């Protein structure tokens, strides 16, 4: 079968022919229909992600597919069930083995491309805003990188929770995507002073930051007293140093959030969150945005779209 693999961190990933994997105890074999890409895939390709395996490995953290074989002692999900799963790797391939316990049945009305890019982006924003930041209706939520894979879901979920949402993105096209997701106010990070613009809108009570760098500093300066800043990631490549004096004087809380980490210490928090999100989707409250669906043979182009910030929402690979 085909698999898009990292064989050396000093060389670009490549599409290779590999042996069909055999599911082990606790695993299922999936016929993969779609694989959602995440910024973490870029970091894994470079060997800089916190959970990067040793080469060779297949990229692709989350997939939608159909169960076609069980490992020993596995009886569910049943053969033929369409599922979504966050496996951490192995998704950019024709087939893959994944833990049976992590597979979630996909609603009939949810397309494979949507299901493949749903879990990480929506799960990250939902759990970060509900459990960690405890966003309340009426508060002002500032979303940085608001047209990206997780940022756009934060705009949508924040609005669904009753917040006033300020979206920060680069360029009119990306801001238009954030507006369509429900943003109340738009700030162009390329042409505007983000700190001044947010303060003119009354400041931020909660900041959702998957970007880091200069935008983190600008957002910190625009925080209201007792604001919460959620650190999601560092898409800018710049991990900011936090000035503790500002945090102290304004009673600001800086919150770290790593969605995948909950698999190791509180899996129920993830499953409860995803169950609520699936219900929201079924009720028509969520409208996932996919900017590109790209065949597996062009997987390198898909990564390039993300690396050069040309995508909005999700990029999805289809074998």
């Amino acid at each position: 079968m085909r698999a898009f693999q990292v064989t050396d961190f000093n060389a670009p990933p490549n599409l290779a022919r590999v042996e069909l994997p055999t599911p082990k105890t606790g695993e299922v074999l999936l016929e993969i229909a779609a694989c959602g890409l995440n910024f973490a895939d870029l970091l894994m390709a470079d060997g800089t992600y916190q959970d990067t395996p040793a080469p060779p490995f297949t990229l692709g953290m989350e997939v939608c597919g159909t169960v076609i074989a069980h490992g020993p002692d596995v009886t569910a999900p049943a053969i033929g069930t369409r599922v979504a799963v966050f496996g951490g790797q192995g998704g950019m391939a024709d087939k893959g083995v994944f833990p049976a316990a992590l597979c979630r049945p996909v609603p009939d009305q949810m397309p494979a491309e949507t299901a493949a890019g749903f879990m990480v982006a929506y799960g990250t924003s939902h759990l970060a805003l509900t459990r960690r930041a405890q966003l309340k209706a009426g508060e002002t939520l500032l979303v940085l990188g608001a047209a990206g894979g997780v940022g756009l879901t934060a705009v949508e979920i924040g609005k669904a929770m009753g917040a006033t949402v300020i979206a920060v993105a680069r360029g009119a096209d990306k801001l238009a995507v954030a507006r369509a997701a429900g943003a109340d106010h738009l700030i162009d990070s390329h042409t505007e002073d983000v700190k001044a613009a947010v303060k003119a809108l009354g400041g931020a009570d909660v900041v959702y930051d998957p970007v880091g760098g200069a935008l983190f500093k600008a957002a910190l300066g625009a925080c209201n007293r007792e604001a919460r800043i959620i650190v999601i990631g560092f898409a800018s490549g710049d991990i900011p140093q936090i000035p503790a004096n500002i945090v102290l004087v304004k009673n600001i809380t800086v919150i770290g959030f790593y969605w995948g980490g909950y698999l190791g210490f509180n899996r129920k928090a993830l499953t409860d969150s995803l169950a609520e999100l699936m219900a929201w989707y079924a009720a028509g409250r969520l409208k996932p945005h996919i900017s590109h669906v790209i065949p597996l043979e062009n997987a390198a182009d898909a990564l390039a779209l993300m690396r050069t910030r040309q995508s909005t929402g999700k990029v999805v690979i289809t074998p």
Side-chain angles (χ1 to χ4, degrees):
M1 71 170 198
R2 299 172 305 161
F4 192 66
Q5 292 201 323
V6 174
T7 56
D8 187 330
F9 293 129
N10 295 314
N14 64 90
L15 191 62
R17 286 280 177 180
V18 300
E19 293 296 320
L20 182 70
T22 300
K24 300 175 183 176
T25 300
E27 295 180 333
V28 293
L29 176 66
L30 298 186
E31 179 89 44
I32 297 172
C35 174
L37 298 192
N38 294 278
F39 188 78
D41 287 305
L42 295 178
L43 300 180
M44 289 181 75
D46 295 337
T48 57
Y49 189 59
Q50 58 261 29
D51 286 335
T52 301
F57 65 90
T58 301
L59 289 170
M61 304 179 75
E62 56 178 337
V63 304
C64 177
T66 301
V67 179
I68 57 174
H70 289 154
D73 300 323
V74 174
T75 58
I79 302 293
T81 303
R82 202 166 64 108
V83 299
V85 59
F86 173 78
Q89 58 171 300
M92 296 173 72
D94 293 313
K95 297 177 178 66
V97 292
F98 302 94
L102 299 183
C103 293
R104 296 189 61 83
V106 174
D108 291 340
Q109 68 269 33
M110 181 180 278
E113 293 82 2
T114 299
F118 189 86
M119 298 181 76
V120 173
Y122 278 100
T124 294
S125 293
H126 183 264
L127 206 58
L129 293 175
T130 57
R131 181 183 178 90
R132 299 292 281 140
Q134 298 183 25
L135 177 68
K136 301 176 183 65
E139 290 190 311
T140 296
L141 169 66
L142 173 63
V143 180
L144 308 179
V150 291
L152 196 61
T153 63
V155 170
E156 195 174 5
I157 289 172
K159 192 62 181 175
M161 292 176 66
T164 297
V165 180
I166 304 172
V168 177
R170 189 179 179 90
D173 291 346
K174 291 188 175 182
L175 288 172
V177 172
R179 170 74 82 186
D184 298 285
H185 304 285
L186 308 174
I187 298 173
D188 190 333
S189 59
H190 182 57
T191 60
E192 298 182 66
D193 182 325
V194 172
K195 176 180 174 180
V198 174
K199 292 181 73 172
L201 291 169
D205 300 309
V206 174
V207 176
Y208 183 97
D209 180 19
V211 179
L215 282 180
F216 175 92
K217 298 173 186 176
L220 178 64
C223 278
N224 295 327
R225 298 187 183 280
E226 294 192 328
R228 290 88 75 199
I229 301 178
I230 320 168
V231 178
I232 302 293
F234 313 105
S236 67
D238 180 359
I239 300 175
Q241 301 302 302
I242 300 170
N245 59 319
I246 297 177
V247 174
L248 182 151
V249 170
K250 298 182 75 173
N251 289 288
I252 293 171
T253 302
V254 180
I255 303 168
F257 184 80
Y258 170 40
W259 184 81
Y262 280 81
L263 289 170
F265 71 90
N266 191 346
R267 187 172 294 180
K268 186 176 185 299
L270 285 188
T271 56
D272 289 350
S273 169
L274 289 170
E276 183 171 11
L277 287 166
M278 287 293 187
W280 284 11
Y281 177 86
R285 296 181 65 187
L286 301 176
K287 305 293 183 184
H289 174 80
I290 299 171
S291 65
H292 296 82
V293 177
I294 294 175
L296 180 60
E297 55 267 28
N298 296 332
D301 296 336
L303 291 181
L305 282 171
M306 296 180 63
R307 195 180 295 277
T308 57
R309 310 290 195 271
Q310 295 182 59
S311 60
T312 56
K314 294 294 289 191
V315 175
V316 175
I317 295 290
T318 53

